[in-house]
Amino acid sequence: MSYWLDVLALVYFFAVWALYSRITAHGFSGRKSLTSEMNLARTQWMATMATRELRMIDTSIMIGLQQGTGFFASTSILAIGGCFGLLNSSGRVLTLFHDLPFISDTTEQLFETKILGLLILFAYAFFKFAWSYRLFNYCSILIGSVPMARDRAPDDPQVVAGINRAAGINIQAGQHFNSGLRGIFFSIGYLGWFLHPVLFMITTTLVAFVLLRRQFFSKARDVLIRNADISGS
């Protein structure tokens, strides 16, 4: 019975993760997500950038985005190292766990499997952050290749194509960064599995609830929605 409960909890974890990713991409009850609103802002940023002769402001923003992405990539590497360290001392850690109340009976093999799962989550996050970092680097190059809009007609094909390329790569970089963050966030819910499968499902639900609230019902989203019409007029 305990084995099937573990399997059910793991399936529930990935199902919630997949459902959250789909809702974030396609909206929730007709509401746009915070991420989708920020993607519009990224496109608007690139259009504004094309009118600037000196683009030091834009390159400074890109440097900040790359530094944040690099920080999380380094953090993921450290977390992977911590998981390997935990594998080496899994027997001692499991002994301590057995002394705690409300802990399900876990074999050393299952415990090590859970650690490997956590390691995979951090590895997934690292690859997402690393690719995001590289895409932000590509975006910096594309920013430099966008022709000056003031020297050409507003609908000049080269200007429009340059803006769309830079905005598209920037949005892709942001999406991969968000996917890496999602892996970090859901790894918090994954920790519940080390205590009990039922707690694993509860912590997964709580993480998804918090993330959904921030995407669709946060004050940050309300600020973007409230001022979208003003900036577009």
Side-chain angles (χ1 to χ4, degrees), residues 16-205:
V16 170
W17 188 341
L19 181 61
Y20 169 77
S21 300
R22 181 174 180 81
I23 291 175
T24 302
H26 299 284
F28 178 73
S29 298
R31 299 172 66 93
K32 292 183 178 180
S33 67
L34 176 62
T35 298
S36 63
E37 291 298 323
M38 285 305 303
N39 287 340
L40 295 177
R42 292 175 190 270
T43 303
Q44 186 178 9
W45 168 25
M46 292 303 149
T48 303
M49 173 273 302
T51 65
R52 282 195 279 262
E53 182 176 359
L54 299 177
R55 298 172 181 174
M56 292 179 291
I57 295 175
D58 308 290
T59 54
S60 296
I61 296 173
M62 292 302 304
I63 291 172
L65 292 174
Q66 285 184 307
Q67 287 178 342
T69 306
F71 168 78
F72 281 105
S74 300
T75 302
S76 300
I77 288 292
L78 292 175
I80 291 172
C83 289
F84 278 114
L86 192 58
L87 277 174
N88 290 332
S89 57
S90 59
R92 294 193 298 271
V93 175
L94 190 58
T95 301
L96 294 175
F97 267 48
H98 284 157
D99 295 334
L100 298 175
F102 310 113
I103 304 299
S104 62
D105 293 332
T106 303
T107 63
E108 186 170 349
Q109 290 76 14
L110 179 57
F111 187 75
E112 291 177 349
T113 301
K114 294 176 181 180
I115 297 174
L116 285 174
L118 187 61
L119 189 152
I120 291 172
L121 287 180
F122 288 130
Y124 167 85
F126 168 75
F127 278 106
K128 286 294 183 180
F129 289 133
W131 183 235
S132 175
Y133 187 94
R134 191 170 186 178
L135 289 178
F136 279 131
N137 185 52
Y138 291 160
C139 185
S140 299
I141 298 172
L142 292 174
I143 285 176
S145 69
V146 176
M148 274 288 297
R150 288 187 299 180
D151 298 337
R152 301 166 182 258
D155 57 347
D156 183 275
Q158 290 187 359
V159 176
V160 174
I163 292 173
N164 290 337
R165 286 192 305 168
I169 294 298
N170 198 289
I171 289 172
Q172 285 290 317
Q175 288 176 344
H176 284 281
F177 179 79
N178 290 334
S179 295
L181 278 182
R182 199 172 299 152
I184 298 294
F185 288 140
F186 273 94
S187 69
I188 303 300
Y190 184 93
L191 294 177
W193 195 17
F194 287 93
L195 301 180
H196 197 280
V198 175
L199 182 60
F200 181 22
M201 290 187 281
I202 293 174
T203 53
T204 299
T205 304

